[in-house]
Each structure stands twice: as structure tokens, then as C-alpha cells.
């Protein structure tokens, strides 16, 4: 079975399968990937990102995941997290996220924590990956005890998608933190399967992370070049026109948001450089 396969439990690794929610869109691609974690013989499962509050999807997910012992969220965005409350009603399982606001029946996640529950053989390593949002985390799926078993894949939420790049939230995202998170995934994700929040899975997290880093650096250099040619007081409209000369008009808002985030990063970078030079 290949992506996309709506309302089906599609095995990706021995311990990770996915149910694709039918909520396609420009940002969600074919839809949200809801991940079901368990070994074939396990009586229980862990579900990561139940998705939006879509009753049909949540009922299908419940039927495919059988007895759910825990619900995890990669981040707060509605297409990943809004269904968590209803899914908790259906399953009785607690909900855990990095942000306590989105937890129910259990404490918030901690960076570096190892998640184990009775009836589920694989263990999940929690790795904070801020940038897309402040509360973004990745889950490293180990077949058993971390670092003593096989690292089967990395559930990346929206930190890395299976196709195209991803946006950074203008409200609580941070490009500097995002680049650090991508560098971490590039280092630790060599030849590890990508289990993304949207789009198809991939063979090598590291390669995706490098592509993302290169793309961000390209955009930053484009802004620097336009500033050098036309001045820092160029309007946002003209700046976006110069950088995104082939962007789909539907994505104009996303391009503007990404440019705001990039400019904020460059301004912070210049301020830190100036402060360092002053203190030197």
C-alpha cells in the first residue's frame, strides 16, 4: 500500500503505521498523517497526531489503532491537535504535548524523555525541535530500548514534511531555532526513515533536513541581495515580488509570512553581531 491511502492503516516500518486524514489542502498536502505506534503482536498502541476534529477520521483511526494507551501531539496546530479531545473521549487515553495547555490526564512532555507504556513494545524518544512553532517536537521511534535497538523512523510533525518545505509560524515560530532543529535532524537522521506530518514518508531524514536548510539559506541570501540592490526600505510587496517571482497567488500569504520571519531573523542576527562587536 502506497501514499496516499485514505482511511487505511498503511504500515511504514515494523512499529509505525499511518492513517491519512481526508483533509487535503495547500498546507496539509494530501492530508494529516496520524501515526499508530506498536509492534505487530502488541495489544495496545500509541497514536501521534490524531488530526483535526473530523469524526469520520477519528472513528477510523480508533478502529485501526485498537486499544490506544496514549495520545501524543507534535505541536499545537489545528490539523494535528484539534481532534485530540474527541479522540480522548473515544479511547479514554491521556493526551500529552510539550505545551501543558494541550495535555489532558497526563503531564506535559520533556525534551529527552523516553516514552514507554505497558502493552507497547516500541519506545519513543522525545526531541524538542522548536522553530515551526515553539512547542514542536519530534518522536524518534525505537523498536525497543533507545540506543540498544533499531531507530526505525522519526515522526517530524510539521518540522519536516514529506514534500515541499514548511512554514514557520509568525506568532511563535523562530527561524534561528528552526535552523538548529534541522541541523540536529540532519546529524541524527542519517538513513533513518522520515515519518512526516504531511506527505509521503521518506528514506532519509538527514537528506530532507539538508534540503530544508539549503532552501532557507537560499531565501535569506535572496533577501540580502535585494536589500543590497534596492535598499532596506523596499516595500514588502516589492520584496516578495523580487524573491517569489513564480509563486502561486494562492500561496502569497504564506510567502509574506515566511518573509516576515526571515527578516526578523536577519534583524536579530545583525543585532547580535553588533552587540558582539561592541563588547569585543
Amino acid at each position: 500500500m502506497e501514499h496516499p491511502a485514505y482511511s487505511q492503516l498503511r504500515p511504514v516500518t515494523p512499529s509505525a503505521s499511518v492513517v491519512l486524514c481526508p483533509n487535503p489542502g495547500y498546507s496539509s498536502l494530501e492530508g494529516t498523517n496520524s501515526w499508530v505506534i506498536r509492534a505487530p503482536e502488541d495489544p495496545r498502541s500509541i497514536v501521534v497526531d490524531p488530526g483535526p476534529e473530523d469524526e469520520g477520521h477519528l472513528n477510523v483511526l480508533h478502529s485501526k489503532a485498537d486499544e490506544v494507551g496514549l495520545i501524543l501531539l507534535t505541536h499545537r496546530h489545528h490539523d494535528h491537535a484539534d481532534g485530540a479531545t474527541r479522540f480522548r473521549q473515544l479511547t479514554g487515553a491521556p493526551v500529552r504535548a510539550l505545551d501543558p495547555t494541550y495535555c489532558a490526564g497526563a503531564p506535559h512532555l520533556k525534551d529527552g524523555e523516553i516514552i514507554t507504556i505497558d502493552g507497547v513494545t516500541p519506545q519513543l524518544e522525545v526531541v524538542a525541535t522548536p522553530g515551526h512553532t515553539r512547542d514542536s517536537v519530534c518522536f524518534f521511534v525505537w523498536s525497543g530500548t533507545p540506543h540498544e535497538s533499531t531507530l526505525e523512523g522519526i515522526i517530524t510533525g510539521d518540522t519536516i514534511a514529506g514534500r515541499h518545505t514548511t512554514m514557520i509560524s509568525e506568532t511563535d515560530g523562530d527561524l534561528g531555532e528552526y535552523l538548529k532543529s534541522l541541523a540536529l535532524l540532519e546529524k541524527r537522521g542519517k538513513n533513518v526513515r522520515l515519518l512526516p506530518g504531511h506527505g509521503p514518508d521518506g528514506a532519509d531524514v538527514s537528506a530532507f533536513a539538508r534540503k530544508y536548510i539549503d532552501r532557507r539559506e537560499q531565501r535569506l541570501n535572496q533577501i540580502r541581495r535585494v536589500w543590497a540592490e534596492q535598499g532596506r526600505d523596499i516595500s514588502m510587496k516589492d520584496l516578495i515580488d523580487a524573491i517569489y517571482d513564480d509563486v502561486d497567488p494562492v500561496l502569497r500569504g504564506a510567502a509574506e509570512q515566511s518573509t516576515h520571519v526571515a527578516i526578523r531573523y536577519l534583524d536579530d542576527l545583525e543585532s547580535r553581531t553588533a552587540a558582539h562587536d561592541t563588547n569585543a
Side-chain angles (χ1 to χ4, degrees):
M1 191 185 304
E2 297 181 353
H3 172 89
Y6 292 109
S7 302
Q8 302 294 318
L9 185 68
R10 182 173 66 87
V12 178
T13 78
S15 300
S17 299
V18 62
V19 178
L20 176 60
C21 179
N23 62 325
Y26 278 99
S27 61
S28 61
L29 303 179
E30 291 86 359
T32 301
N33 291 326
S34 296
W35 291 96
V36 179
I37 308 302
R38 67 179 174 202
E41 70 279 3
D42 287 345
R44 306 176 79 201
S45 68
I46 297 171
V47 168
V48 180
D49 287 352
E53 195 171 359
D54 179 313
E55 190 73 12
H57 171 67
L58 296 176
N59 277 289
V60 169
L61 181 61
H62 186 200
S63 70
K64 301 299 184 183
D66 295 324
E67 183 183 346
V68 179
L70 181 62
I71 302 164
L72 298 174
L73 302 177
T74 59
H75 65 299
R76 63 175 174 78
H77 280 158
H78 69 91
D79 56 334
H80 295 259
D82 275 10
T85 298
R86 175 58 179 152
F87 199 58
R88 171 166 162 74
Q89 293 174 345
L90 292 171
T91 63
V95 181
R96 300 190 66 193
L98 195 66
D99 186 339
T101 305
Y102 299 93
C103 297
H108 68 88
L109 299 169
K110 296 180 180 179
D111 183 30
E113 177 182 357
I114 304 301
I115 295 176
T116 63
I117 68 169
D118 291 339
V120 177
T121 301
Q123 299 182 18
L124 301 182
E125 179 186 354
V126 180
V127 179
T129 51
H132 172 68
T133 59
R134 185 181 297 112
D135 67 329
S136 289
V137 297
C138 291
F139 297 104
F140 286 47
V141 181
W142 295 88
S143 61
T145 303
H147 307 291
E148 297 178 8
S149 61
T150 301
L151 179 55
E152 296 184 12
I154 301 175
I155 299 174
T156 56
D158 280 353
T159 299
I160 297 180
R163 191 175 66 257
H164 305 321
T165 54
T166 190
M167 289 197 328
I168 297 175
S169 172
E170 194 171 352
T171 56
D172 69 340
D174 186 289
L175 180 53
E177 292 298 314
Y178 189 52
L179 290 171
K180 292 177 184 176
S181 295
L182 291 174
L184 181 155
L185 292 172
E186 181 182 25
K187 180 179 180 180
R188 294 196 59 187
K190 185 67 174 176
N191 296 323
V192 179
R193 193 147 203 89
L194 173 73
L195 311 177
H198 303 283
D201 48 284
D204 186 354
V205 171
S206 181
F208 280 84
R210 173 40 54 184
K211 179 181 177 181
Y212 270 44
I213 292 170
D214 290 344
R215 185 62 167 172
R216 291 291 173 178
E217 293 292 349
Q218 178 191 12
R219 291 300 189 198
L220 291 171
N221 287 332
Q222 286 178 312
I223 294 173
R224 292 184 179 106
R225 186 180 68 250
V226 173
W227 279 351
E229 294 172 351
Q230 303 187 44
R232 292 287 291 263
D233 59 349
I234 184 175
S235 70
M236 180 60 67
K237 177 184 181 302
D238 289 342
L239 179 59
I240 293 173
D241 286 344
I243 297 171
Y244 295 91
D245 56 352
D246 59 348
V247 69
D248 187 323
V250 176
L251 300 177
R252 180 82 184 192
E256 183 171 347
Q257 177 171 315
S258 294
T259 304
H260 277 297
V261 169
I263 289 174
R264 187 169 62 198
Y265 169 77
L266 290 172
D267 286 344
D268 290 345
L269 189 63
E270 289 181 2
S271 296
R272 290 195 301 271
T273 301
H276 178 269
D277 291 344
T278 300
N279 295 328

